[in-house]
Amino acid sequence: MLYTLLCYNSEDVVFSWSQEEDDAVMGRLSVIHERLHKEGKLGPSLRLLPTTAATTLRKDEPPLVVDGPFAETKEQLLGFYVIEVADLEEALGIARELAAANPGGAYEIRPVRLFLPGEKVG
Amino acid sequence: MSDLAWIDGALTSARPQAIGALLRYFRDLDTAEEAFQDACLRALKSWPQNGPPRDPAAWLILVGRNAGLDGVRRRSKQADLPPEDLISDLDDVEAPLAERLDGSHYRDDILRLLFICCHPELPATQQIALALRIVSGLSVKQIARAFLVGEAAMEQRITRAKARVAKAETPFETPGPADRSERLAAVAAMVYLIFNEGYSAGDGSARAQLCDEAIRLARLLLRLFQTEPEIMGLTALLLLQHARTPARFDADGAIVLLEDQDRELWNRRMIAEGLALIDKAMRHARPGAYQVQAAIAALHARAETPADTDWVQIDRLYATLERLQPSPVVTLNRSVAVSKVAGAAAALAMIEPLAGRLSGYFHFFGAKGAYLLQLGRNEEARVAFDEAIALAHTPAEADYIRTRLDRLIQDSAAAAAG
C-alpha cells in the first residue's frame, strides 16, 4: 500500500526560523530520509517553497491565472505532478493543457525547494 | 524543534499582527506594546501546559486586550476579566476573531503599524530603529549593537521617535486604495533600508542580521499583498542579494567581487525562491524599480559562470531603471554593464558627467579607477583609488582598493624593471 505524508505547519513560524534552526531541522530529517531510502520505503519527496511563490490556474473557461495558493476548502487535494520546466510560463502552459483535459477545480503551481528522488512509484 | 523554540517563533511572527490590532484598539504605541508583552508572558506560562492555541495571533490579541483593559479596570476598581487559561479552551471566543483577522482588518492593522514607523517626519535612521523595536520586537540593546551606538543613545532615539509619532496625527481609519498604495510604497522603502543597513555591513555581525529581519518583513508584506508585483520584486531582490552573502567575503574578511565569487557558496534555496517570485512578478507586466533590480540580480544568479552573464540584457534593464528611477548611482551601476558590452572607454565617458554629484561616493572612484586601469592610464587610476580609500566606509572596502593599488605599483615596477 502506498501512502502520502503531507507536511503541515505554520508558514509564518517556519519562515521565522534562522538558517541554523532550519538547518538543524533538515539535518534531523535527513537522517530519517536516508534510512527510509536504504530500506526502499522512500519515494519522491518534496519540500515546497512558500505559498507566496505559488500561482494558481483556475480551470474556468478561459482558465484564469491568479497569484497565491489555491485555498478553496470545498475541494480537496486529489493528486500532484512534478514537472521540470524553464519558467512559470512553461509550467502554466502545461497546467493549461491539463486543465483542458480535466475541467473543474484548479492547479496550484508551487516551486519546489528540495527534491529527494526515490525508486518507489505506484 | 523544541516547544519553546516553536513558541518563540510563533510569538515573533504574530507580533506585527497583534501589536497592529492592539494599536487600533488602544490607539497608543506604549499601551499596545505593554499589552502585547503581558500577553507574551502569559503565553509562555499557558501554552506549554495547554498546548499552543489554534491561532496564536488571535489568542495574543484577545489576552493582550484583556490585560490592557484589566489595568484600566483595576484602576477603577472593577471586576477582573476571566483568566486566559479559560480563553485558550474557548474556541468559540477565538474563532470569530480569527476569521476577522483573515479579512481586511488584519492587513490594514499591519500596514498602519509599519506606516507609523516610517512616518515621513522621522529621519531614516529613526524610522528603521522604531520599526525594529516595535514591529520586529528587537531589544534596544540589539538595535544599538546593530547601529554601533550606545544603548542609552538608542533608547533616546527610539523614545524621541515615539514621542514624535504620538504627536503627529495618526489616521486610524481604514485607508482608501490610493492611500494604501502610497503607504505600501513607503513601507517597502523602509524594509529596503533595513536590508541595506545589514547588507553594507556584510560580515556576520549583529548588523548583518538585519538582512534576515528585512526578508522576514518583506515576506510578511507579500503574504498581505499577494498580487502586488513590486512587493514580489522587493522580496525577490532581497533574497537574490542575500543569497550571495556567504561568497561576498573571503576568510580574511576581504571583499570578493561578484565575478570572483565561488558560486557554489551561493544559497540555492534563496535563489530558487527569488527567481520564482520575479518570474511571477513579470507576468503582471507592471514594471517597477524593485522588479527591475530583482531582474538584474536574477540574471547574475542564473549565470553558471561569470562568462555566462547576459550583460546586454543587464544593460537594457539598467536603462529601464534609469527611466523609472533616474539617479547618478543607477547610471554608475549601469556603467559596469556598459564596460562589459562596449568597453572601458565607453563606461568612463558615461560616468565622467557624474563626477560633481558623486564626489563623495566610494564606488564612483572605485569604478573610475578600474576603468582607467583597463585603459592603461595608471597614474590617473592611482589618483582615483586614493580618493576611494579616503571615502571607504568599512575596513574591507579600503583594503580592497589598497590591494588593487599594490598590484598597480608592482606592475609598474615590473614594467620599469623590464
Side-chain angles (χ1 to χ4, degrees):
Chain A
M1 191 64 200
L2 289 172
Y3 286 95
T4 309
L5 305 178
L6 302 173
C7 175
Y8 289 93
N9 197 348
S10 161
E11 208 172 52
D12 288 338
V13 174
V14 170
F15 284 97
S16 290
W17 289 347
S18 66
Q19 190 65 47
E20 295 76 54
E21 283 170 322
D22 196 272
D23 288 347
V25 174
M26 292 313 285
R28 284 199 298 274
L29 288 175
S30 71
V31 175
I32 305 166
H33 295 161
E34 260 167 56
R35 194 195 75 226
L36 291 173
H37 185 71
K38 264 193 214 125
E39 293 170 358
K41 289 179 183 166
L42 188 68
S45 315
L46 314 166
R47 183 170 180 185
L48 300 177
L49 284 178
T51 49
T52 46
T55 307
T56 297
L57 181 104
R58 290 228 46 109
K59 291 168 16 187
D60 299 335
E61 194 47 57
L64 183 68
V65 178
V66 290
D67 288 311
F70 179 67
E72 180 63 77
T73 47
K74 278 182 300 193
E75 290 158 329
Q76 280 75 37
L77 178 70
L78 297 184
F80 60 90
Y81 297 89
V82 180
I83 55 173
E84 193 178 348
V85 291
D87 55 24
L88 178 62
E89 232 24 78
E90 196 183 342
L92 279 169
I94 293 173
R96 281 195 180 92
E97 245 182 281
L98 294 169
N102 176 13
Y107 287 114
E108 179 180 321
I109 296 110
R110 182 109 76 94
V112 166
R113 130 181 187 191
L114 167 85
F115 178 66
L116 299 174
E119 297 93 30
K120 282 266 179 192
V121 275
Chain B
M1 188 105 329
S2 73
D3 276 354
L4 219 61
W6 193 91
I7 291 175
D8 193 40
L11 294 180
T12 309
S13 66
R15 187 182 170 99
Q17 192 180 345
I19 297 248
L22 291 168
L23 179 66
R24 169 161 47 86
Y25 197 68
F26 294 116
R27 302 197 164 210
D28 175 68
L29 264 182
D30 284 327
T31 314
E33 238 195 324
E34 268 167 39
F36 179 74
Q37 298 298 359
D38 213 333
C40 285
L41 287 177
R42 293 177 196 216
L44 284 171
K45 259 190 268 166
S46 156
W47 295 1
Q49 277 173 29
N50 305 336
R54 209 169 34 117
D55 187 331
W59 192 97
L60 289 164
I61 293 167
L62 212 56
V63 171
R65 217 156 68 174
N66 280 356
L69 284 175
D70 226 13
V72 177
R73 292 199 185 173
R74 232 190 338 262
R75 275 181 291 250
S76 60
K77 292 184 179 160
Q78 283 187 348
D80 283 354
L81 285 152
E84 63 280 359
D85 274 13
L86 292 177
I87 293 169
S88 63
D89 293 331
L90 294 175
D91 255 0
D92 294 343
V93 182
E94 256 175 63
L97 184 60
E99 302 248 305
R100 252 188 298 136
L101 287 177
D102 287 336
S104 57
H105 260 340
Y106 166 46
R107 280 170 34 147
D108 290 333
D109 282 344
I110 295 181
L111 192 55
R112 184 186 302 114
L113 179 64
L114 287 163
F115 183 71
I116 284 172
C117 295
C118 59
H119 200 281
E121 276 176 29
L122 297 177
T125 49
Q126 280 188 26
Q127 292 181 9
I128 299 175
L130 193 60
L132 290 173
R133 178 70 207 102
I134 303 287
V135 185
S136 304
L138 298 191
S139 69
V140 173
K141 195 173 168 185
Q142 282 172 305
I143 305 169
R145 221 175 332 151
F147 282 89
L148 309 171
V149 298
E151 216 176 314
M154 185 48 80
E155 180 81 65
Q156 208 181 24
R157 196 185 287 182
I158 292 171
T159 310
R160 221 179 288 143
K162 272 192 194 168
R164 200 138 172 201
V165 161
K167 249 197 286 166
E169 285 288 304
T170 307
F172 276 92
E173 65 282 359
T174 305
D179 252 6
R180 183 180 288 148
S181 80
E182 199 176 298
R183 285 186 187 192
L184 188 57
V187 166
M190 185 191 65
V191 171
Y192 186 69
L193 282 180
I194 293 178
F195 182 84
N196 271 343
E197 262 320 305
Y199 196 73
S200 57
D203 46 22
S205 70
R207 205 155 141 231
Q209 283 162 21
L210 294 182
C211 289
D212 290 324
E213 189 50 35
I215 288 174
R216 210 175 65 80
L217 293 175
R219 284 187 200 285
L220 175 73
L221 282 182
L222 188 56
R223 279 175 68 94
L224 297 176
F225 300 92
Q226 300 206 352
T227 57
E228 282 296 330
E230 266 297 80
I231 301 300
M232 293 176 210
L234 172 68
T235 313
L237 174 63
L238 304 192
L239 287 166
L240 291 169
Q241 300 270 65
H242 199 41
R244 297 202 289 255
T245 297
R248 285 175 60 217
F249 297 88
D250 69 12
D252 303 322
I255 292 174
V256 182
L257 279 196
L258 184 57
E259 55 190 27
D260 301 325
Q261 287 175 11
D262 178 357
R263 292 175 187 229
E264 293 285 308
L265 296 177
W266 289 359
N267 185 322
R268 290 291 145 191
R269 174 182 69 77
M270 286 189 191
I271 289 177
E273 193 182 341
L275 293 179
L277 285 173
I278 188 61
D279 217 16
K280 242 174 79 154
M282 304 280 242
R283 268 194 53 254
H284 289 258
R286 270 167 52 205
Y290 294 125
Q291 289 172 71
V292 175
Q293 290 177 76
I296 293 169
L299 285 173
H300 286 301
R302 284 199 160 107
E304 274 174 38
T305 69
D308 297 327
T309 311
D310 188 348
W311 288 108
V312 173
Q313 193 60 29
I314 290 178
D315 180 35
R316 262 186 224 139
L317 285 167
Y318 270 121
T320 310
L321 192 58
E322 275 184 314
R323 262 202 316 279
L324 288 170
Q325 199 182 63
S327 110
V329 173
V330 172
T331 307
L332 178 67
N333 290 338
R334 187 182 174 190
S335 77
V336 177
V338 168
S339 78
K340 303 283 182 184
V341 175
L348 193 61
M350 188 170 193
I351 67 164
E352 263 163 356
L354 310 175
R357 278 177 297 166
L358 294 181
S359 61
Y361 194 55
F362 165 81
H363 292 288
F364 173 75
F365 292 101
K368 186 177 173 187
Y371 302 147
L372 287 166
L373 201 56
Q374 283 174 46
L375 294 169
R377 290 155 67 176
N378 291 3
E379 189 46 36
E380 290 165 88
R382 201 185 53 76
V383 175
F385 285 145
D386 277 340
E387 295 252 31
I389 289 176
L391 292 166
H393 281 297
T394 63
E397 281 182 357
D399 281 346
Y400 172 71
I401 299 290
R402 255 183 229 115
T403 321
R404 303 201 69 162
L405 264 179
D406 288 347
R407 210 176 302 152
L408 184 60
I409 293 163
Q410 275 167 20
D411 287 354
S412 29

